[in-house]
Amino acid sequence: MNDTHDTSVGFATLAVRAGQVRTHEGEHSEPIFTTSSYVFGSAAEAAARFSGAAPGNVYSRFTNPTVRAFETRLAALEGAQRCVATASGMGAISGMTLALLKRGDHLLASQSVFGATVQWFENWLPRYGIDVTLVPQSPPEAWAAAMRPNTRLLYLESPSNPLMEIADITALGAIARAGNAWLAVDNCFCTPALQRPFELGADIVIHSATKYLDGQGRILGGALLTNDSGIADAMFNFVRTAGPSMSPFNAWVALKGMETLNIRMQAQSAAAARIADWLVQQPVVEHVYFPGLSSHPQFDLAQRQQSAPGAIVSFELYGGRAAAWHVVDHLRHFSITANLGDTRSTVTHPATTTHGRLSAAARDAAGIREGLLRVSIGLEDVGDLLADLANAFAMLPEITPTEP
Ligand SMILES: *Cc1c(COP(=O)(O)O)cnc(C)c1O
């Protein structure tokens, strides 16, 4: 199965097979094409390639065989016709907005998207004459009310970070279509293993390959996927000209990561569900945010939209920052890092890290309190993670008198 886009085979098969083009050497695994340019057989061939009259590689800022293998495999997994790889997730997000929007256009986005995405939308796009409105993740009516005649793009992540709020992708896709706008979904937290936004009505899917696609915290990468050739051509031409291209080495690492994407997402999501169930029972825990809990206010929507809850769990401890920092400092098997989607579990205190640049009032409005912790569950033994949490929780009542 070479360079396959065969939709008759399953997800796990595509994850290990799609996108590979074997060379004359007969290699079994994908090689890395570490070349910046390509040679032509004649002056006439060079001219034809440059003009686009003949297909083929010209320069690795716009095409490279290893990057193309990554793009083909990810497109197969998301069920998209086209994929344009970028140097990072932010490269995909900034590139998408610059490629698709122009002065006078309006962008409508969830207020609970990734921190750097909010910075890009609020601090940079207005400099280019693009208006931005941030709205709550739900309900969809809040989005419908904020639509304007010049709204061109709706943008969201689901579940949201760190409070695991679900956006109704089907409803928002309908609102976008009614307004003659596109819906873009950042599918970083679920990946196509757990959520397929194109089947729900999205026009664009965005990825940070830095997270689960690599899955082992080794590279930066990103991608934009779509079934709309106008969107794909605009993004391709933007990356070709502006230059936020993915490196072939990073594409190769992400290709290796995607081979195990399915089993990692299943295993990490199942482990996260066990940890969420345990957290709910702990007296020091005030609230657990996890879409797999029947107590989650959007449990039914999450069940319809995702095939599993994912591997990110957030929880609020009684006792504010003192309690949260105590737990962070006493965990042995959770790395203290803002990254997520790694085989190694990680712990983050959002109020003083990822959301530390927000004012206290903005954090309050977003529901990000001082006692909140976010964990990204990896592939360690769940028993070790549970014992680690229990140990870190053990001294909490003495340090911070828990509220009744
Ligand atoms: C990390 C992240 C990004 C940005 O990706 P980079 O590869 O770090 O540029 C975008 N969206 C979400 C949801 C992320 O978690």
Side-chain angles (χ1 to χ4, degrees):
M1 194 159 55
N2 268 351
D3 197 18
T4 182
H5 214 118
D6 182 352
T7 48
S8 70
V9 300
F11 187 92
T13 307
L14 292 171
V16 295
R17 294 280 186 187
Q20 186 177 8
V21 183
R22 200 157 281 141
T23 75
H24 63 279
E25 297 290 357
E27 73 282 357
H28 190 204
S29 293
E30 295 90 355
I32 312 179
F33 286 88
T34 51
T35 182
S36 48
S37 70
Y38 304 85
V39 290
F40 314 109
S42 65
E45 189 186 353
R49 291 256 193 105
F50 265 84
S51 73
N57 297 308
V58 173
Y59 193 61
S60 279
R61 190 180 339 102
F62 35 115
T63 63
N64 174 279
T66 316
V67 175
R68 189 177 313 113
F70 164 84
E71 292 169 335
T72 307
R73 182 167 301 171
L74 186 55
L77 297 183
E78 283 287 5
Q81 293 301 318
R82 301 277 298 274
C83 175
V84 179
T86 52
S88 66
M90 288 316 302
I93 294 163
S94 59
M96 167 188 67
T97 52
L98 294 175
L100 299 182
L101 303 178
K102 60 181 190 318
R103 174 176 299 278
D105 286 345
H106 177 233
L107 164 71
L108 194 53
S110 165
Q111 66 197 15
S112 37
V113 294
F114 185 65
T117 307
V118 174
Q119 299 287 325
W120 173 252
F121 288 170
E122 285 207 303
N123 298 343
W124 291 82
L125 288 183
R127 294 167 48 167
Y128 310 118
I130 296 161
D131 289 335
V132 177
T133 307
L134 299 182
V135 287
Q137 176 93 331
S138 64
E141 290 72 30
W143 294 67
M147 290 289 286
R148 299 183 195 165
N150 59 338
T151 306
R152 299 290 290 144
L153 183 64
L154 279 62
Y155 184 88
L156 61 89
E157 290 163 23
S158 187
S160 73
N161 176 15
L163 295 180
M164 300 295 125
E165 214 183 317
I166 310 294
D168 188 333
I169 297 174
T170 306
L172 292 170
I175 290 168
R177 269 191 304 285
N180 209 11
W182 296 298
L183 173 64
V185 174
D186 182 333
N187 203 22
C188 176
F189 269 39
C190 280
T191 82
L194 306 186
Q195 174 170 275
R196 313 243 306 165
F198 289 116
E199 291 169 9
L200 299 164
D203 301 291
I204 297 166
V205 167
I206 289 288
H207 271 288
S208 167
T210 314
K211 311 295 166 51
Y212 289 106
L213 297 184
D214 166 34
Q216 291 162 65
R218 305 172 295 192
I219 53 138
L220 289 170
L224 175 146
L225 298 110
T226 184
N227 288 311
D228 180 316
S229 59
I231 293 174
D233 290 345
M235 184 69 180
F236 176 82
N237 285 325
F238 176 82
V239 172
R240 169 185 182 147
T241 309
S245 321
M246 178 179 262
S247 101
F249 176 76
N250 289 2
W252 182 84
V253 172
L255 274 166
K256 299 300 108 194
M258 278 191 276
E259 292 182 16
T260 55
L261 178 67
N262 199 40
I263 53 172
R264 278 188 286 110
M265 292 310 291
Q266 303 302 334
Q268 291 176 230
S269 181
R274 276 189 60 192
I275 286 169
D277 285 342
W278 181 86
L279 284 169
V280 167
Q281 297 162 29
Q282 305 311 306
V284 297
V285 174
E286 186 177 344
H287 192 77
V288 181
Y289 300 92
F290 185 66
L293 291 172
S294 56
S295 57
H296 189 289
Q298 298 163 302
F299 177 72
D300 292 335
L301 175 60
Q303 294 278 305
R304 281 201 304 279
Q305 205 162 270
Q306 305 174 206
S307 61
I312 312 287
V313 186
S314 293
F315 55 97
E316 180 79 32
L317 291 161
Y318 289 109
R321 183 186 298 194
W325 279 23
H326 170 88
V327 168
V328 170
D329 289 340
H330 287 79
L331 289 170
R332 288 169 52 223
H333 301 310
F334 291 78
S335 315
I336 309 173
T337 170
N339 198 24
L340 56 88
D342 200 300
T343 50
R344 286 151 290 220
S345 294
T346 65
V347 61
T348 305
H349 183 239
T352 52
T353 60
T354 53
H355 294 70
R357 277 194 282 181
L358 297 182
S359 68
R363 264 201 307 279
D364 257 13
I368 300 178
R369 295 163 60 197
E370 291 281 341
L372 185 75
L373 290 179
R374 185 196 73 194
V375 290
S376 164
I377 302 304
L379 284 179
E380 301 90 346
D381 286 299
V382 188
D384 289 336
L385 298 179
L386 289 171
D388 203 18
L389 286 163
N391 179 59
F393 286 0
M395 275 167 59
L396 274 182
E398 294 156 41
I399 297 164
T400 57
T402 57
E403 290 144 38

